[in-house]
Amino acid sequence: MAIAEGAQTIERRTIAKVSWRLLPLVALAYCIAYIDRSNISFAALTMNKDLGFSAYIYGWGAGIFFFGYFLFEIPSNLILEKIGARIWIARIMITWGIISALTAFVTGPTSFLIIRFLLGAAEAGFFPGMILYFTYWFPSEYRGRVISTLFVAQPVANAVASIVSAAILGMDGILGFKGWQWIFLIEALPAVLLGLVIFKVMTDKPAHAEWLAEDERGWLQARIDAENRQVESHGHLTLMRALGDPRVVALSLIYLMSVTANYGIVFFMPQIIKGIGLSNMMTGVASSVPYIIGTIGLIAWGWSSDRNQERRWHLIVASTLGALGLAFAAWSGASWWALLGMSAATTGIYGSRAAFWPMPSLFLTGTAAAGAIALINATGNLGGYFGPFIVGWIKDATDSFQAGLYFLAACSLMAAIIAFFAARAAGDPAARARANARTAAAE
């Protein structure tokens, strides 16, 4: 009993140290990444008119970011797995900061599309790199909460960006720049500065963590190694087999549907809310509300998923809530009730992430995990193209966002349906055990 109590003490102390050392840095980096990715939604309030962009052109440009992301995602994550997170994450942040600032100088559709594509290419590998990085540092029972912490950065970034970007729009004319140009110039700077900080302070793996005591390093590395051996005992997947594994394919489709719903909201919510008749500043304040409420749902889902060690039904319920919220927002039209629907949608969509992202590490390790996580994220992020593109097209065709919101609701519902039927990919323990047994037998 004394030995067990001693191990528990080391575990609590180690996890606390690792959490305080890594999570604030990673969450801040993701917050900045998300701001630079989505601040175009507020720039569009004046940029579209200045540059003559239709909703179709804007949606195309907002979404083409994800094609660059898709093409370079897997190579980027494989490089990170080989050379370490410290160097590669720093490189990603510095290059995307520079390219984000260059968005201020676009002059028309062609330059707009090129810059957005390059921004996606520069950022490729950042998010799946962070998911992979967490598997080096946190045992599986902590990953739902840890991933929730990472995803808290997303609604926080949207809430902060909504208010800050609206304020920056008021700088129109200073030094000859438009307000939307100032958004890109000012909000790109933190990415470059934090990239330099990450290069200096990030630690690649527990074995290199001089800030942990020797017994803490030993316990953490032994625990992570034991979990990896347990996963591999059911069948070790090579990179190529992992990329074609039905479980990985199913997870990719689930994430594609969920991300399509998410980015349809992100890139158009300010324009939808402004339709109520608000000023730019009040639009920013109102747009922050669903993200603040979504943060609460995200934390609650992560805590519940870890506490119950259950992923599948948490994902299904969250995705269904997202669908209902979007449908209610569409039904409500340009009214304050739409904010209630958007708040329910963000709660569900963000909450689903905490249950979803611990799933790949249930059956993947090493290079196979690096490649498959990147593939899942890359495929999912194509939804960042389809969502804005289709919503923009529907808006131009109908002069309303209503049908577009119903489309996004259908996407979130489809994520729940796939998760329900693809049990072995979605974390059902019995079905997952059968899949692992078949993999082992095939080898």
Side-chain angles (χ1 to χ4, degrees), residues 32 47 49-50 84 127 142 161 242 246 293 320 336 340 415 427 438:
I32 292 171
M47 178 187 71
K49 182 179 179 181
D50 288 344
F127 175 77
Y142 294 95
I293 295 174
T320 302
W336 289 103
L340 178 62
R438 282 193 292 270

Side-chain angles (χ1 to χ4, degrees), residues 222 224-234 365:
I224 298 296
D225 290 344
E227 289 190 353
N228 289 339
R229 286 193 299 270
Q230 183 178 8
V231 171
E232 292 173 357
S233 69
H234 296 294
T365 61

